[in-house]
Every structure is written in structure tokens, then in C-alpha cells.
Amino acid sequence: MQQLTLDVALREGASFDSFHPGDQPLGPEAVQALARGDGETQIYLYGEAGCGKTHLLEAACHLVAADGGRIAYLPAGLVARSGPEALEGWQTLDLMALDDMDLFPRDAELERALFDLLNRLREAGVRLLLASRAAPRALPLSLPDLRSRLLWGPVIHLQELDDEHKPEVLAARARRRGFELPREVCEYLLRHYRRDLPSLMQVVDRLDEASLASKRRITVPFVRRLLD
């Protein structure tokens, strides 16, 4: 299949079980229902970086693939580098995920190719997930009919988790890597480090590696020395 020729790999840890919905469970529930085939056939997710858009797209792809389904995950940057031909020949899929729609270049040929793709996917019954930092109406599109296709399904605004829930996500990340992250370490990271979840989870991974290398427990003084 064509997706085998594209340099895209899904993260193994992206699942619905590892996604923390915070106070907005409807978004992930809708995406999971789509992936199971008993919900909407198209969903558009949007929100700032770190709110979990890509995680949900990848989780849906993993779920469909685990059941033997055919999937494709395409970030807009890859489409821009590959040209309109990257959007051809996907009608035999069970699920397609298009990420980073806000990075889709304003190019008439690419927009027409995307417009045609969305029409073909709908006619073939392919489930479709789209994600972007911007809502469909805020995208700088030059093809008006393309915007209407992006609105064929529900548009869901995802919010980044608040600080109350972030320690739970970091602790869960640590448990998946095989260690316990003390609550006081989570709170220290929130006070003294970048607060967006992607950055925080990278720190958790660094702490795990540094702890194993030094054979030291992860404590606040250990974290302070490492980050300094």
C-alpha cells in the first residue's frame, strides 16, 4: 500500500488508555467511537499544542490497525513535501488521519487535491480524522468548497490539561516506563520547568534515563541538579 512508502511512524505508546481527558471526555470518546466504527465518520479536532490532538489520531490508528484495518497517518508537512500525489489512492483504507492542517500550504493545486481526496474518502466510506491548531473557519484556504468539506463532521475544540491533572499524566508516563514519580517531583517540574505536556513528558523520559545511569532515586534534589 502507498503508506508503506511514506516516512511516518506512529508512537507505540499512543493509546486511548494512556490519554488523560481531564474535564473534557467527549472529544476522546467521540474519536474512539469513530475508530471502532460505531460513531461519526469524520471528526475535526483543534486546539493549541499539547492538548492531545496527535495522540488521539495515533490512538485511533493503532486501534483500527489492531483489528486488522488499513490505516494511514499523514502530517501536513509530509504532504507539502511530497506534493499532490501524496493525496491520491487512499480509497481502500478503513481510517485516514490528517494531522497539522494549519501547516497545510496555501497552494491551489494541493487544496484541489485535498478537496478531491475528501470527496473520494466520503464516497468510499473511509473514516476520517483531522487535527489542527486552528478551527476550519480560521484556516487560510483559497478554495471555499474545501472548507465546507472540513465541516462535514463534528468540530471538537480540545483544551490543554490544567495543572491539577498534569501530575497524573506524568505519573502515568513514569509507570509505563517502569518507575514511580513522586508527587513532589511533579509539582516541582510544574513550578520550575516549561508547563506544556510534551516538554514535561520529555523531562520524565530524561529523568528515567539519568536515574538508571546514576542508579539514583528520582527526588527533587536529583531533578534540580539534573535540570540545572
Side-chain angles (χ1 to χ4, degrees), residues 114-135:
L114 178 58
F115 175 83
D116 292 339
L117 170 67
L118 299 184
N119 287 331
R120 292 194 302 269
L121 294 180
R122 191 172 185 86
E123 291 173 3
V126 179
R127 285 162 280 167
L128 176 63
L129 287 172
L130 306 111
S132 172
R133 291 192 184 189

Side-chain angles (χ1 to χ4, degrees), residues 1 16 23 28-29 70 94 100 119-120 143 170 202 214 216:
M1 295 185 64
F16 290 105
D23 299 321
E29 288 175 359
R70 296 156 296 181
D94 296 290
D100 300 326
N119 287 331
R120 292 194 302 269
L143 184 62
L170 299 181
Q202 287 179 4
S214 63
R216 298 279 302 278

